Amino acid sequence: MARRKRTSVVLERAVRRAASINSIDPRLDLGNGLTLPAFSSLIETMRTKENAYNSALSSLDKLYREMLETEDELGDMTEHMLMAVGTRYGKSSVEYGMAGGVPKNQRRKGLRGESPINDEQPSFVANVESKNGKKPAATT
């Protein structure tokens, strides 16, 4: 999804105000640096920066898409590399395990309906209620 480009409400209002003030006097000077040319210059600076920002977002979106495509290629090649090691050395070989695969003879096949979660309590938790009837106490 492309990043949302920025539009400035302040810039739009300033452009309208400059057009209105221009109808009064194109060389209007209100003192303290408040002139129509200075105002127009600042409007153009803002417009330039907004355009640069939006262009940078577009470039960033392009880089992100390219990165995701490369990541997909890398994931595919990673899988192909492991499959090739399995083909060359066998899926029960030490080399297959060294390449990151689980050797075929070390895989555990679960029974249907069997949960992979261990139902036993860890050995560090005592299964004894305290005298006041609260939760079991943990031992270290």
Side-chain angles (χ1 to χ4, degrees), residues 13-25 36:
R13 185 174 42 216
V15 168
R16 285 192 306 269
R17 180 140 315 143
S20 298
I21 292 173
N22 191 39
S23 67
I24 297 171
D25 181 5
L36 189 57

Side-chain angles (χ1 to χ4, degrees), residues 26-74:
R27 294 180 308 270
L28 184 65
D29 185 353
L30 300 170
N32 293 331
L34 298 175
T35 65
L36 189 57
F39 189 45
S40 296
S41 174
L42 190 55
I43 288 171
E44 284 307 311
T45 301
M46 176 59 191
R47 185 175 285 141
T48 301
K49 290 187 186 242
E50 184 180 64
N51 288 338
Y53 176 81
N54 288 334
S55 294
L57 284 181
S58 294
S59 297
L60 187 61
D61 286 339
K62 179 183 177 204
L63 286 172
Y64 183 68
R65 282 190 307 274
E66 290 172 355
M67 183 190 68
L68 291 179
E69 289 171 5
T70 305
E71 187 178 43
D72 287 342
E73 286 180 43
L74 181 61

Side-chain angles (χ1 to χ4, degrees), residues 85-99:
V85 169
T87 301
R88 174 169 283 177
Y89 297 102
K91 289 190 175 181
S92 294
S93 68
V94 172
E95 291 83 3
Y96 186 72
M98 289 170 61

